[in-house]
Amino acid sequence: MSQIHVTTRLNGDETEFLCDAQETLLDVLRNRLGLTGAKEGCGTGDCGACSVTVDGRLVCSCLMLGAEAVGREIETVENMADGETLHPLQRKFLEHAALQCGICTPGILVAAKSLLEQNPSPTEEEARYWLAGNLCRCTGYDKIIRAVMDAAEEMRRAS
Amino acid sequence: MALDKNAPETRSFKVVGSRPLRPDGIDKVTGRARFGADMSAPGMLIGHILRSPHAHARIRAIDTSKAEALAGVKAVVTRADFAAAPEGMEDVLDNCMAGEKALYDGHAVAAIAATSAAIARQAAKLIEVDYEVLPHVTDVDAAMAPGAPALHDGRSDETVPDGYSANVMSRVEYGHGDIEAGLAKADRVLERSYKTAATHQGYIEPHACLATMGPDGQADLWCCTQGHYMVRNTCAALLGMDQGQLRVTASEIGGGFGGKTTVFIEPVALALARKAGRPVKIVMDRTEVLRATGPTASSSIDVRIGMTKDGRITAADAELRYQGGAYPGSPVGMGSMSAFAPYDLENVRTIGYDVVTNRPKQAAYRAPGAPMAAFAVESAIDELAKGFGLDPLDVRLKNAAREGTRSSYGPTFPAIGLEATLRAAKDHPHWSAPLGPNQGRGVACGFWFNFGGDTCVTLNVTPDGTVTVTEGNPDIGGSRASMSMMAAEELGIPYEKVRTVIADTGALGQNEVTDGSRVTFAVGLATIEAARAAKREMCARVAKIWGIDEEAVIWEDGAAKPAGPNAGDYPPMTLAEIAAIASNTGGPIAGHHEVNAEGAGVSFATHIADTEVDPDTGATRIVRYTVIQDAGKAVHPAYVEGQFQGGAVQGIGWALNEEYIYGADGILQNPGFLDYRIPVASDLPMIDTVILEIPNPGHPYGVRGVGETSIVPPLAAVANSVSAATGVRMTDLPMSPPKVLAAVQGQQEG
Ligand code: FES
Ligand code: FES
């Protein structure tokens, strides 16, 4: 089986990899590039644990082929913090205890960041609908929504 | 040395009760934390499991030769690769790898290790299994009917009376008093039947493991589990190894809720690794998780309750029938014990039947067995209260169990918090808030036992005066933080000076799994005792330095101080100062504690739910929700609130949406998150919480477990609320829109 050679921009760096034609972007990130921050909760686009952005758009990396990454800008949770400085969402998730087990956290952070980029002042309802594609079984979402709203406010004040 | 003997009630805390950041937090928000599927090893193979497409079938033969011949396949195992299981573990082995029969859709029948996942999957298609398909049964009442297809003939135990179906594995009975005499004193006797569907724990992380075994028989296993010591003991038994030869390391765990308290793929990965001589990783997909792990039992329950018109329960009787899948062991015992536990009853009885069906073997799910029983009982009490025009909280207060009550399952309660939760519910603004059109309010109580069990903690003082707590229970929701807090509290040092690590099975003695809401209680207790041991040692060292009696040295605010006649004679020595010279005073300083922790305190909760039901679609929306629960002592209140909220929302999902749907062919029809729908953010409001602290006399700080009680009341609270909103009594869960719509329309026509 011949593999496909892909060149892409991953977390700001030009990155090359080989992958099989049927391999998902999630599998490429996790198994070939060592970025295990994105998780596989379902593999069918129903849980959001594998969320990444592609050219700034939020996608489930389990629903995209690795080969489709050619020439794109991929951002994963590993690139959210700026060196030692956490992104406000990451900090607020810790302060609000918005994670219990933490398996959903990378996907929810990526999705929430994407929300705030498009809509810096979401209402609680907007935040809840935006995150409806990200399952969390531990928290009941209460503290997640509080953390997102609080981060949004802080980011608005800072800008 | 003299240790403080403060009773939990009077003690004031410095660290416990605050809300510090969790030590594993940064790893978990940056993607660095390593969960089950995030580990790999050089030369690793990928394992894949072939599963039965039939609900019930005899396995006549398995031909693996074509699969073994495929390039890239390094090992294939079937049941023939496992020796007979030791006594008592036959079902665990049979569930991991089917023997004579496949007992449910998704039952493992063979496994492959190959150089890639694609090759392993291809090889699975080449395995030829000769099945003789047998009649099947998936419903609990159908499985109990005479003539039902039998899963295991002749395995019913001696508690099952003659004449029952072969699928009834055991019968339990609890209670006291005289039911009929009690019912005769009632102004009304309500008899109702209730059903609940099987639901899955729904952890977002599928089961995953990585196994390595050398030719010398030494093995290492990395896996996501609620209890790696349990994994070690079980796998060693199933593979015929010494426990000491198998070292298990628990990964970070992406949720469990009871579903990761047993093994599924771990023994299979070890068997493949043994055969292939290479590391083998197995990661389940979501379909496998739903078809072959968890779920909880489905139930069918009959309740009879007699009540006087002023709201006193004169007798309470229930028969509970739980199917727990293909093997004995449904949680009907705990359902029967917990059903009437919140009430002080003169005449009470519960009878439970454990039934097998062609479904995956049930696994524990948060307060196993209790939510279904509470759904039935709390619905019946609500209906009786409403019928008499009484406030449902007043009726519960009138019958509430309290200190000294002989519980329905036997023991007499010490100090408990049920009444306090009911009074807090009455005083809560939610209880008196106005309702809108098509809205209703429901209330329900819940009880859970809470566990203790085998626990080991070692606390090491480093030369620079920081402290490492080593414990053996995976951190599933912030427990590292809680342990560090309790150690810091006891030692009188800042939280930041303590780090808690989860040890592998080589580092500590036996630890019971993370279940039964036991960790904050039992591991906390062992942490406190380990810290006390370290303090005793430090006081002894200082006494030697000062040349005074050990008894004359006390520990206060993180330092040893002279006391009694020597008070003020020497400046205090801090933990860091003592640690720095430990080498000269006798060597490294550590404390440790090993215990089978007893004294876990039962806990109670009261939940209030407001729902709005769309009369045109039958869809139910949760409008407002409040959880009131006794935590004993909340070590880290944010994580206590999180347990309350998470449990409540799982219960809401159970009440409204979630169910295992089987076709007439016995095949699971909704093995994915699209059709097995758990609550999402847009389904819910904020979940209000009220933490009450009625100290548990069995813990030095008063801690009770908090993780499970929160899933017990919501089924009934939501059902009572929907019943109030629609005027129709809902007795069958989940209350999915078609069911609610049919009930509403039936009432309009009727
Ligand atoms: S793993 Fe991609 S959505 Fe669940
Ligand atoms: S924190 Fe566990 S799934 Fe969200």
Side-chain angles (χ1 to χ4, degrees):
Chain A
M1 200 168 9
S2 73
Q3 294 194 318
I4 299 166
H5 177 231
V6 176
T7 306
T8 186
R9 261 191 114 65
L10 176 59
N11 292 334
D13 295 327
E14 187 173 294
T15 304
E16 291 179 70
F17 58 85
L18 292 173
C19 69
D20 295 336
Q22 76 279 13
E23 216 172 316
T24 64
L25 175 60
L26 177 61
D27 282 341
V28 168
L29 290 171
R30 291 180 53 81
N31 302 337
R32 295 192 185 268
L33 302 174
L35 293 180
T36 55
K39 308 296 179 192
E40 179 168 316
C42 67
T44 53
D46 299 311
C47 77
C50 63
S51 298
V52 300
T53 58
V54 178
D55 294 342
R57 268 193 66 195
L58 181 63
V59 303
C60 293
S61 62
C62 71
L63 293 183
M64 182 172 154
L65 294 173
E68 292 178 286
V70 173
R72 308 294 190 108
E73 289 265 356
I74 316 281
E75 293 271 345
T76 71
V77 70
E78 282 90 348
N79 202 39
M80 248 180 105
D82 181 3
E84 298 248 289
T85 314
L86 295 180
H87 187 280
L89 277 162
Q90 291 173 311
R91 198 158 27 77
K92 290 297 175 190
F93 266 58
L94 293 178
E95 285 171 20
H96 285 267
L99 50 140
Q100 284 177 30
C101 78
I103 193 85
C104 67
T105 310
I108 294 188
L109 285 168
V110 169
K113 178 165 175 266
S114 164
L115 164 66
L116 300 187
E117 277 161 11
Q118 309 206 8
N119 178 0
S121 324
T123 62
E124 181 192 327
E125 195 177 5
E126 285 169 338
R128 285 185 179 277
Y129 275 90
W130 183 274
L131 293 175
N134 289 85
L135 301 180
C136 173
R137 190 57 156 173
C138 296
T139 64
Y141 306 102
D142 182 300
K143 293 182 188 299
I144 290 175
I145 300 297
R146 286 180 204 275
V148 171
M149 300 303 284
D150 194 9
E153 200 195 308
E154 185 185 292
M155 287 166 71
R156 283 196 303 274
R157 271 202 317 258
S159 64
Chain B
M1 65 169 280
L3 287 169
D4 70 80
K5 290 268 190 304
N6 282 351
E9 306 90 274
T10 54
R11 173 170 187 136
S12 71
F13 294 97
K14 290 203 178 87
V15 183
V16 164
S18 67
R19 299 176 180 234
L21 300 188
R22 62 194 285 173
D24 52 330
I26 291 188
D27 279 356
K28 285 178 178 163
V29 297
T30 53
R32 278 207 301 259
R34 293 219 269 187
F35 289 85
D38 298 341
M39 188 62 112
S40 47
M44 178 177 90
L45 303 171
I46 302 297
H48 178 75
I49 294 180
L50 176 69
R51 298 183 179 278
S52 167
H54 304 293
H56 195 191
R58 191 169 306 286
I59 300 172
R60 289 206 202 95
I62 304 181
D63 182 353
T64 59
S65 54
K66 287 190 189 129
E68 276 160 314
L70 185 70
V73 171
K74 302 296 176 189
V76 178
V77 299
T78 65
R79 181 61 174 275
D81 291 274
F82 292 86
E87 203 186 324
M89 305 196 75
E90 299 89 343
D91 289 348
V92 180
L93 174 59
D94 202 64
N95 193 39
C96 291
M97 191 56 72
E100 280 170 32
K101 296 204 286 184
L103 292 167
Y104 55 91
D105 164 41
H107 198 165
V109 296
I112 305 106
T115 50
S116 77
I119 295 172
R121 276 196 299 269
Q122 202 187 335
K125 297 202 182 98
L126 299 174
I127 295 178
E128 290 165 10
V129 186
D130 180 10
Y131 291 108
E132 174 195 343
V133 177
L134 303 169
H136 65 271
V137 62
T138 54
D139 176 76
V140 61
D141 290 321
M144 282 183 79
L151 276 79
H152 316 278
D153 248 329
R155 274 198 65 181
S156 305
D157 74 14
E158 66 290 344
T159 58
V160 181
D162 287 344
Y164 277 83
S165 142
N167 295 320
V168 179
M169 294 287 114
S170 61
R171 176 188 184 277
V172 292
E173 182 171 340
Y174 296 94
H176 54 254
D178 181 338
I179 297 297
E180 300 309 325
L183 292 175
K185 290 190 203 138
D187 292 312
R188 183 179 172 200
V189 176
L190 178 80
E191 290 190 39
R192 280 272 176 275
S193 297
Y194 303 87
K195 280 201 137 191
T196 65
T199 57
H200 196 275
Q201 294 79 352
Y203 34 81
I204 305 303
E205 180 198 34
H207 300 257
C209 68
L210 171 59
T212 316
M213 197 184 302
D216 57 359
Q218 290 193 46
D220 284 278
L221 181 67
W222 158 274
C223 62
C224 58
T225 176
Q226 288 175 245
H228 42 309
Y229 292 80
M230 169 279 299
V231 171
R232 175 194 65 185
N233 301 353
T234 309
C235 289
L238 298 185
L239 285 130
M241 303 169 64
D242 289 339
Q243 292 176 354
Q245 294 299 320
L246 175 57
R247 186 177 66 146
V248 183
T249 305
S251 70
E252 295 303 324
I253 175 170
F257 315 107
K260 291 176 182 166
T261 57
T262 183
V263 296
F264 298 102
I265 52 177
E266 296 82 357
V268 179
L270 282 164
L272 286 167
R274 177 164 66 185
K275 204 163 178 179
R278 284 170 65 172
V280 174
K281 178 173 177 175
I282 301 183
V283 181
M284 281 195 183
D285 67 22
R286 180 57 50 183
T287 308
E288 292 180 279
V289 171
L290 287 164
R291 285 170 76 202
T293 73
T296 186
S298 63
S299 77
S300 171
I301 301 173
D302 303 330
V303 175
R304 278 195 307 167
I305 297 179
M307 195 181 275
T308 60
K309 55 182 180 303
D310 62 351
R312 179 72 193 144
I313 298 171
T314 59
D317 187 20
E319 181 180 298
L320 302 92
R321 301 170 293 271
Y322 287 16
Q323 70 73 29
Y327 304 90
S330 83
V332 74
M334 287 189 285
S336 304
M337 289 164 80
S338 65
F340 294 111
Y343 301 108
D344 180 4
L345 302 170
E346 229 172 280
N347 308 295
V348 59
R349 178 176 65 184
T350 49
I351 295 171
Y353 294 97
D354 178 23
V355 183
V356 291
T357 65
N358 295 110
R359 293 181 181 227
K361 174 172 171 48
Q362 73 88 37
Y365 182 18
R366 209 169 197 157
M372 318 71 151
F375 164 60
V377 169
E378 295 292 303
S379 294
I381 290 176
D382 191 70
E383 189 172 349
L384 280 162
K386 295 250 165 76
F388 287 127
L390 300 171
D391 178 320
L393 283 175
D394 288 338
V395 167
R396 286 174 172 84
L397 274 167
K398 191 170 213 124
N399 296 284
R402 45 181 68 84
E403 186 169 357
T405 294
R406 178 181 177 194
S407 70
S408 57
Y409 62 97
T412 298
F413 286 130
I416 55 172
L418 175 63
E419 271 184 296
T421 68
L422 288 162
R423 289 194 203 287
K426 273 204 96 154
D427 293 342
H428 197 282
H430 184 173
W431 187 241
S432 46
L435 286 164
N438 300 316
Q439 294 184 353
R441 177 163 300 144
V443 67
C445 295
F447 157 86
W448 186 245
F449 308 90
N450 296 329
F451 299 170
D454 285 342
T455 308
C456 303
V457 169
T458 294
L459 183 148
N460 289 296
V461 179
T462 64
D464 73 352
T466 48
V467 166
T468 306
V469 174
T470 306
E471 53 125 330
N473 279 91
D475 180 351
I476 204 158
S479 61
R480 285 184 185 91
S482 303
M483 296 318 139
S484 294
M485 290 171 78
M486 285 187 264
E489 182 76 50
E490 195 60 36
L491 293 169
I493 60 176
Y495 169 74
E496 294 71 27
K497 290 283 179 197
V498 184
R499 180 166 181 190
T500 298
V501 298
I502 316 294
D504 66 48
T505 55
L508 291 172
Q510 174 67 18
N511 284 281
E512 178 56 70
V513 298
T514 296
D515 73 352
S517 302
R518 71 173 220 96
V519 171
T520 313
F521 165 74
V523 184
L525 187 143
T527 299
I528 292 165
E529 290 299 337
R532 289 180 177 174
K535 287 198 296 191
R536 277 194 296 274
E537 178 61 23
M538 289 188 284
C539 286
R541 301 281 179 98
V542 169
K544 227 188 273 171
I545 295 169
W546 289 338
I548 62 175
D549 213 22
E550 264 179 48
E551 294 303 310
V553 180
I554 56 163
W555 189 267
E556 229 176 62
D557 296 329
K561 291 178 184 166
N566 304 98
D569 288 357
Y570 309 94
M573 279 189 81
T574 64
L575 182 143
E577 287 164 350
I578 300 166
I581 55 166
S583 192
N584 305 330
T585 60
I589 295 167
H592 63 99
H593 193 72
E594 293 77 26
V595 65
N596 180 353
E598 288 176 4
V602 300
S603 86
F604 291 90
T606 298
H607 290 199
I608 312 171
D610 290 0
T611 60
E612 181 175 315
V613 179
D614 183 334
D616 297 324
T617 64
T620 300
R621 189 167 65 88
I622 303 289
V623 181
R624 186 169 179 180
Y625 202 97
T626 303
V627 178
I628 302 154
Q629 185 176 319
D630 171 20
K633 176 70 200 168
V635 176
H636 191 307
Y639 287 106
V640 172
E641 291 160 5
Q643 291 296 322
F644 290 7
Q645 292 163 334
V649 168
Q650 285 185 316
I652 288 168
W654 199 336
L656 293 178
N657 292 311
E658 296 177 33
E659 67 181 308
Y660 264 51
I661 301 171
Y662 281 93
D665 53 4
I667 304 301
L668 182 63
Q669 299 197 320
N670 57 338
F673 273 143
L674 187 60
D675 299 316
Y676 183 90
R677 191 178 182 284
I678 70 173
V680 303
S682 54
D683 294 336
L684 296 159
M686 293 297 183
I687 309 291
D688 273 353
T689 55
V690 178
I691 301 175
L692 301 179
E693 295 187 325
I694 293 101
N696 168 21
H699 185 277
Y701 296 171
V703 168
R704 297 173 196 273
V706 298
E708 291 168 292
T709 310
S710 54
I711 201 174
V712 182
L715 283 60
V718 174
N720 290 339
S721 169
V722 170
S723 302
T726 59
V728 195
R729 181 53 58 178
M730 301 303 296
T731 57
D732 188 357
L733 299 187
M735 296 175 285
S736 51
K739 232 187 256 173
V740 173
L741 190 61
V744 171
Q745 287 172 344
Q747 173 205 41
Q748 283 160 357
E749 283 154 21

